[in-house]
Amino acid sequence: MNEEFYAFWLSFCTRVPLGKLWKSVNQLGSMEALYYAKEKELSLFTEKEYAYIRQMKECQGIRKLWEEQSKQDYQFLSYKNVLYPSKLLELKEPPFGIYYQGKEEINPNSPVVGMVGARNCTIYGSEMAYRIARELGRQGIVVVSGLAAGIDGASHRGCLDGGGYTLGILGTGIETIYPKENYNLYLEMRKRGGILTEYPPETKPLPMLFPRRNRLISILADFILVVEAREKSGSLITVDFALEQGRDVGVVPGRPCDALSMGCNRLLQQGAKCILTPEDVMEAVLDSGRFVNCKTEKPKVNTDLGLAPKEKMVYSCLRLEPQFIDDILCQLKLSVWEGIQILTELEIKGIIKQNPHHYYYRVQ
Amino acid sequence: MYSHVMSGTIFGIQGLMIQVEADVSDGLPGFHLVGCLSNEIRESGERIRTAMRNSGWYLPPKRIVVNLSPADVRKAGSGFDLPIAIATLVSMGAIPQERIERMVFIGELGLNGAILPVNGVLSVADCAAKSGYQYLFVSKENQAEAAMIPQLKVIGVENVAETVELLGNEERLENAIFYRPQENMEHCQETTCDFRDLKGQPMVRRAMEIAASGMHNLLMTGPPGAGKTMAAKCLTGILPDLSFEERMELTKIYSVKGLLAKQEGLIYKRPFRSPHHTITASSLIGGGLIPKPGEISLAHNGVLFLDELPEFSKSVIEVLRQPLEDKKIRINRLNHTYEFPANVMLVGAMNPCPCGCYPDRNRCHCSMLQIQNYQGKISRAMLDRMDLHLTLQPVSYGEMMQEADGEDSASIRKRVEAVHNLQQERYRGLGIRFNSQLTVEGMKAYCRLGREEQDFMKEIFEQKKLSGRAYHRILKLARTIADMDNKENIELPHLMEAVAFRVSGGGEDE
């Protein structure tokens, strides 16, 4: 058995704190030694943990899975492997191994932005995340996020639509699609982006496993961007990790009265970078000094949409965040049916959208 | 001696003439009832004998056989007591047979000989008039209802003795005919809810007017307290009164159900039924051993309002699918198929998510999955059948306190009436009354699109991933909007507005 296998085996021991495993590997000298260690040598662990480790050792399934690994779609990389992302080694307790599936030829020098935010986000939040990520994708910047619902999903989607490479860090096993609404996104990312996890296959979504993966997002990124977070939210855990790891943090501001922007605005107050446009992100990433050869041409903004005067009037009433149709109609000095018609027309032209039904917002 | 008397029963909501035959002959004394009878008729023998004795006739100790024909229709209800008694009296020789030709009798008997009211008299009366009968004997309580059929001479009687007496005296009989007093057509509108009190909310007004104009189905989504129920109640105020045929149809249904108020004439207001969400499928569409109409038929030509739509059991909502297309209910029993009219305008109301606050994310903490599950309780097939999808938001304090009243129901109703008349004129002789009832054939004639409009619909069809049904329903809705605009042809703006009231396919999960 080679080192890879012992790392593979260790990745299954998810119920033992990673810190203790590392400590004992360091004490015993190697992963192999831990695998064959007797109970006396493992005084570090509680009785329960030891029983668990022994159970894992006797588990035939792991061995079988290892032997059949070549048949699987994913690849397993131990921390000793040359292909293992070197950034992860900056962690105090890096994963013993990671499971990866997706594109293989990635430019290692491209800057990486981690995007995090609320799962139950507003349309404003998901639109902002989408646009920024799309622009980053166009500029060849990698977007890393957690493949959860809400901001995470919008960021991945945006980056893919911009033609970029995006990496999803899962809090589950590599073949578990969670949440279900990201089904299509997951499949697309396997082809055009990448998926990475430290948890063994068939790990179910368990609440205790999710915070741990956040440290991978922040360590892989050069810059962390928060879009919409409540005052007590999982995204702020990522921010804490990022600050510990010496990453810069940027925040998309929100209105002070929005509970969903409270966490974001608080971060701004504490001195986080205020991000208003995708260019702000690019500047911030370049500022970190690591990247010189990055193209920084400003995207052209097409302001003339070629609208009729009445359409222009309706369009000017709309904002980025969705507005209820009654409120729009009340602002307009048009008859109700005329207002409805123009809204439909603009929607068909693709410059405004409605979501949910009868809430309109701009898209360009 | 043999005798026969005409009576009637209800079959679905239609009347059916039944001949009651009696024969008194020598043999073992007894009173036998035959002819595919239900329990309540089978046991009526005892009732009739006692009632007759208490009215002064003693049945002779002979063999009396009563038959109800046609014998293959299962007969139910208590309306045969009176005709059986009369037939027996005729065969006993108390009344001459030729005296009761062209007469129909319906009524239940009490033990003291009193004649009691029964359900469904209107349907039987209608059927009797169409079959050429002249006189109808019913209980006093039923006379007003029966007299709605003007071709029929209705006589309300209190007991058996009075009936026999009237039959023996031509002059008194003619005097006893009940005529309905001239109806007062100027009904005052009961003002439960008026659009005047609905502040702001321009979309609600517009959608309600369109829905009422073409009798289109409507689904309202909005947080609690946004005024969904109030808007639905306002809807009755802008619907025009029923036409005579519609009133007749509807009154028959209520008569069969026994829901007709005493002394009330034909129902003139469009019905508004709002069953509670615990309703069962069979009480919604009708059912029973001998099927009776359900809530959907009671809302015929009017509004069926289902508040808290997702709370209804899924199977209950899904049974509505077929009647919403066919505009009638067909209930099969072993021997017969019963058909009930069910031409309703379905108005549904629902919250957007379990807590009701979505998309206000400051208050709504429901996960996307929860929201999808909640909205998923209404199947896509059902959503397709809703022509107008309306979103509501609670009114702000400022709007609520507005001094200026909105347009009141009466003036909206005038416009709706005009559009109704337009449609009735156009669809005369086609068997339909409203745009929402147009068949695909009819749409070819009345929903023609120009080149520009066709291009637009093609784009919409692909962009919104419409189903064929949704496409047709958009056209019907646009037809109504064009009618409101008083335009001969459907034009681009009409289509655009119709499209705006429809949810796009699968928008939520993007």
Side-chain angles (χ1 to χ4, degrees):
Chain A
M1 283 296 158
N2 57 18
E3 288 271 278
E4 291 281 299
F5 169 74
Y6 300 118
F8 186 72
W9 171 74
L10 273 170
S11 79
F12 280 83
C13 301
T14 46
R15 270 189 249 166
V16 182
L18 199 57
K20 277 193 185 176
L21 288 176
W22 269 109
K23 212 165 169 187
S24 110
V25 167
N26 290 338
Q27 269 176 10
L28 297 167
S30 71
M31 294 188 283
E32 188 179 3
L34 174 60
Y35 187 78
Y36 291 110
K38 300 262 159 23
E39 190 171 4
K40 288 185 290 193
E41 300 171 79
L42 295 175
S43 54
L44 207 61
F45 300 103
T46 62
E47 222 162 274
K48 226 168 149 188
E49 284 165 349
Y50 177 71
Y52 176 72
I53 291 174
R54 237 182 53 187
Q55 190 194 333
M56 284 290 127
K57 213 155 85 179
E58 285 156 11
C59 178
Q60 289 303 311
I62 298 177
R63 199 166 273 274
K64 210 170 149 209
L65 210 61
W66 171 251
E67 278 152 16
E68 287 171 359
Q69 214 206 120
S70 54
K71 287 188 208 156
Q72 307 290 352
D73 295 334
Y74 57 81
Q75 56 189 128
F76 176 79
L77 304 169
S78 82
Y79 74 100
K80 298 221 165 147
N81 197 310
V82 279
L83 292 170
Y84 187 86
S86 53
K87 270 189 191 166
L88 289 184
L89 293 174
E90 290 174 33
L91 283 170
K92 211 170 97 209
E93 291 146 8
F96 285 101
I98 53 155
Y99 299 81
Y100 177 78
Q101 189 175 3
K103 247 165 87 164
E104 282 173 19
E105 58 287 356
I106 313 150
N107 178 7
N109 293 325
S110 47
V112 181
V113 172
M115 291 178 71
V116 293
R119 273 168 297 157
N120 288 350
C121 62
T122 65
I123 303 274
Y124 159 77
S126 63
E127 266 306 298
M128 280 312 282
Y130 176 83
R131 278 167 205 217
I132 292 176
R134 191 176 55 183
E135 200 48 48
L136 295 179
R138 275 184 195 147
Q139 302 296 330
I141 295 175
V142 174
V143 172
V144 177
S145 190
L147 237 166
I151 298 295
D152 285 13
S155 310
H156 289 305
R157 172 64 64 197
C159 185
L160 284 179
D161 287 357
Y165 172 85
T166 177
L167 182 65
I169 314 280
L170 302 186
T172 61
I174 191 133
E175 272 156 345
T176 312
I177 302 178
Y178 177 85
K180 283 278 178 290
E181 58 234 57
N182 280 347
Y183 190 85
N184 285 330
L185 183 63
Y186 174 93
L187 295 183
E188 229 170 288
M189 283 180 63
R190 265 199 331 201
K191 267 192 242 141
R192 291 168 50 202
I195 288 167
L196 188 150
T197 180
E198 60 177 305
Y199 299 118
E202 284 168 46
T203 306
K204 296 268 162 339
L206 296 171
M208 58 196 208
L209 299 182
F210 283 92
R212 220 170 96 182
R213 64 106 191 252
N214 288 349
R215 80 195 200 290
L216 299 189
I217 297 178
S218 55
I219 198 79
L220 283 174
D222 302 304
F223 183 76
I224 286 285
L225 179 62
V226 188
V227 189
E228 287 211 319
R230 286 175 195 278
E231 207 153 15
K232 280 177 191 155
S233 102
S235 312
L236 299 187
I237 299 178
T238 317
V239 171
D240 288 342
F241 280 131
L243 294 176
E244 268 172 42
Q245 294 156 355
R247 306 291 191 247
D248 251 354
V249 175
V251 168
V252 175
R255 289 189 297 194
C257 53
D258 273 3
L260 262 166
S261 292
M262 212 48 211
C264 288
N265 292 343
R266 200 59 86 193
L267 285 174
L268 284 175
Q269 206 176 33
Q270 290 161 4
K273 211 164 246 153
C274 179
I275 300 295
L276 302 175
T277 60
E279 290 84 64
D280 290 349
V281 183
M282 281 178 272
E283 242 163 66
V285 176
L286 298 178
D287 271 355
S288 59
R290 278 202 253 179
F291 311 97
V292 216
N293 299 331
C294 200
K295 40 183 176 174
T296 50
E297 54 182 279
K298 294 240 167 179
K300 275 182 231 149
V301 186
N302 190 2
T303 44
D304 186 30
L305 295 165
L307 298 177
K310 272 185 186 169
E311 292 177 334
K312 226 174 236 168
M313 186 163 93
V314 176
Y315 187 70
S316 66
C317 281
L318 295 173
R319 294 196 293 260
L320 252 183
E321 78 205 71
Q323 252 182 310
F324 188 53
I325 187 163
D326 274 0
D327 300 335
I328 303 168
L329 292 174
C330 287
Q331 285 176 41
L332 294 169
K333 287 187 180 64
L334 292 174
S335 63
V336 174
W337 54 269
E338 213 172 352
I340 301 171
Q341 279 163 23
I342 294 175
L343 282 170
T344 315
E345 207 167 336
L346 291 175
E347 194 195 345
I348 288 157
K349 282 188 179 165
I351 55 177
I352 67 168
K353 255 184 169 176
Q354 54 173 328
N355 190 7
H357 193 42
H358 284 168
Y359 286 80
Y360 289 91
Y361 60 94
R362 290 181 181 193
V363 279
Q364 286 213 338
Chain B
M1 199 177 101
Y2 167 81
S3 69
H4 59 92
V5 168
M6 283 318 288
S7 183
T9 187
I10 41 177
F11 187 78
I13 60 156
Q14 301 302 331
L16 180 70
M17 299 314 290
I18 301 282
Q19 178 165 268
V20 179
E21 299 170 305
D23 185 68
V24 180
S25 60
D26 292 336
L28 270 181
F31 194 90
H32 301 284
L33 288 160
V34 293
C36 197
L37 307 176
S38 70
N39 258 347
E40 62 263 36
I41 305 183
R42 217 177 281 278
E43 66 197 11
S44 68
E46 287 304 319
R47 203 156 56 221
I48 294 163
R49 279 201 301 194
T50 316
M52 284 174 75
R53 197 178 59 238
N54 287 339
S55 308
W57 287 280
Y58 284 89
L59 291 183
K62 290 193 168 188
R63 182 181 168 80
I64 303 172
V65 180
V66 175
N67 177 39
L68 273 60
S69 83
D72 65 334
V73 179
R74 188 173 168 83
K75 291 147 207 96
S78 51
F80 294 110
D81 289 5
L82 178 63
I84 293 172
I86 297 293
T88 316
L89 286 170
V90 173
S91 57
M92 279 161 57
I95 306 165
Q97 172 77 56
E98 59 281 3
R99 192 69 195 85
I100 54 165
E101 297 296 331
R102 309 187 69 195
M103 287 183 180
V104 178
F105 298 83
I106 309 163
E108 182 183 328
L109 290 185
L111 289 185
N112 57 355
I115 297 171
L116 308 172
V118 295
N119 289 341
V121 167
L122 182 66
S123 300
V124 179
D126 189 34
C127 179
K130 282 183 183 143
S131 315
Y133 293 93
Q134 261 187 345
Y135 293 89
L136 174 67
F137 282 78
V138 290
S139 91
K140 268 249 157 28
E141 284 95 330
N142 279 143
Q143 65 179 8
E145 184 186 331
M148 287 180 221
I149 307 293
Q151 303 93 317
L152 216 56
K153 293 175 176 166
V154 175
I155 295 140
V157 280
E158 263 166 34
N159 53 48
V160 182
E162 189 195 349
T163 317
V164 178
E165 208 180 312
L166 287 175
L167 286 173
N169 190 328
E170 187 89 29
E171 198 182 323
R172 282 200 55 195
L173 181 67
E174 290 303 320
N175 287 337
I177 294 172
F178 175 80
Y179 293 103
R180 288 186 70 82
Q182 194 61 42
E183 247 180 274
N184 181 14
M185 290 303 286
E186 295 281 308
H187 297 287
C188 56
Q189 281 283 323
E190 293 149 55
T191 45
T192 43
C193 245
D194 198 303
F195 269 107
R196 193 178 38 221
D197 307 321
L198 206 72
K199 303 285 165 70
Q201 305 198 317
M203 279 296 274
V204 178
R205 289 170 169 279
R206 181 71 184 165
M208 286 285 168
E209 191 178 332
I210 298 172
S213 294
M215 297 301 269
H216 293 286
N217 299 334
L218 170 73
L219 178 66
M220 292 183 278
T221 314
K228 300 185 291 283
T229 313
M230 185 178 165
K233 282 191 180 138
C234 285
L235 189 59
T236 46
I238 60 167
L239 286 170
D241 284 347
L242 296 159
S243 71
F244 182 75
E245 303 135 58
E246 288 175 321
R247 297 169 69 190
M248 203 65 195
E249 270 175 358
L250 189 67
T251 313
K252 271 188 199 169
I253 299 169
Y254 277 70
S255 165
V256 169
K257 262 289 221 193
L259 289 175
L260 219 51
K262 266 181 215 149
Q263 306 302 328
E264 201 200 321
L266 289 175
I267 295 169
Y268 64 92
K269 265 193 87 164
R270 286 194 188 268
F272 179 84
R273 304 291 298 187
S274 67
H276 189 251
H277 57 71
T278 50
I279 193 172
T280 60
S282 48
S283 56
L284 184 65
I285 63 161
L289 185 63
I290 292 180
K292 287 271 158 65
E295 282 290 333
I296 187 169
S297 297
L298 292 177
H300 180 54
N301 286 328
V303 178
L304 179 66
F305 178 48
L306 302 182
D307 206 352
E308 307 297 349
L309 199 55
E311 302 299 329
F312 281 78
S313 95
K314 196 162 173 119
S315 58
V316 169
I317 302 178
E318 298 307 310
V319 295
L320 283 175
R321 269 151 60 163
Q322 180 254 338
L324 282 180
E325 288 293 304
D326 298 349
K327 307 288 181 196
K328 61 188 166 219
I329 297 270
R330 218 171 277 129
I331 296 172
N332 296 308
R333 290 292 177 267
L334 194 58
N335 292 325
H336 296 283
T337 300
Y338 298 80
E339 215 173 78
F340 297 115
N343 178 22
V344 298
M345 168 179 170
L346 180 66
V347 178
M350 63 184 282
N351 291 339
C353 70
C355 79
C357 300
Y358 182 79
D360 182 356
R361 278 305 198 176
N362 282 326
R363 289 197 292 157
C364 172
H365 288 232
C366 303
S367 72
M368 223 50 219
L369 191 69
Q370 276 176 307
I371 296 171
Q372 271 166 20
N373 281 346
Y374 190 77
Q375 295 184 346
K377 286 184 185 171
I378 319 295
S379 67
R380 192 133 280 280
M382 200 62 204
L383 284 181
D384 252 2
R385 286 166 171 81
M386 304 305 252
D387 298 315
L388 290 120
H389 295 252
L390 179 63
T391 313
L392 283 90
Q393 231 191 12
V395 284
S396 63
Y397 186 77
E399 277 174 319
M400 210 161 56
M401 288 298 119
Q402 251 171 33
E403 279 300 315
D405 281 341
E407 194 178 21
D408 62 349
S409 291
S411 40
I412 300 177
R413 199 177 130 188
K414 281 216 182 74
R415 286 202 301 270
V416 174
E417 231 158 53
V419 182
H420 273 213
N421 291 339
L422 195 79
Q423 294 171 67
Q424 246 119 77
E425 199 64 39
R426 185 183 325 139
Y427 301 134
R428 181 154 295 159
L430 288 179
I432 58 171
R433 297 191 184 107
F434 300 109
N435 291 333
S436 53
Q437 300 166 349
L438 272 174
T439 55
V440 178
E441 282 301 305
M443 285 174 61
K444 276 184 196 151
Y446 301 110
C447 299
R448 276 238 182 92
L449 297 183
R451 169 54 57 82
E452 204 182 338
E453 285 81 13
Q454 274 178 11
D455 289 345
F456 173 78
M457 280 313 284
K458 182 165 172 268
E459 200 178 327
I460 286 290
F461 191 85
E462 280 156 13
Q463 202 176 4
K464 295 220 168 195
K465 302 187 189 88
L466 294 180
S467 66
R469 178 182 293 117
Y471 172 81
H472 285 136
R473 286 192 173 258
I474 287 178
L475 284 194
K476 291 183 207 177
L477 191 63
R479 179 67 261 172
T480 303
I481 297 170
D483 286 341
M484 291 167 75
D485 205 8
N486 221 339
K487 290 275 163 61
E488 174 82 31
N489 288 317
I490 300 175
E491 289 165 16
L492 213 48
H494 308 139
L495 286 173
M496 282 191 186
E497 193 175 348
V499 168
F501 279 111
R502 198 158 252 287
V503 280
S504 46
E508 289 299 336
D509 47 3
E510 278 169 24

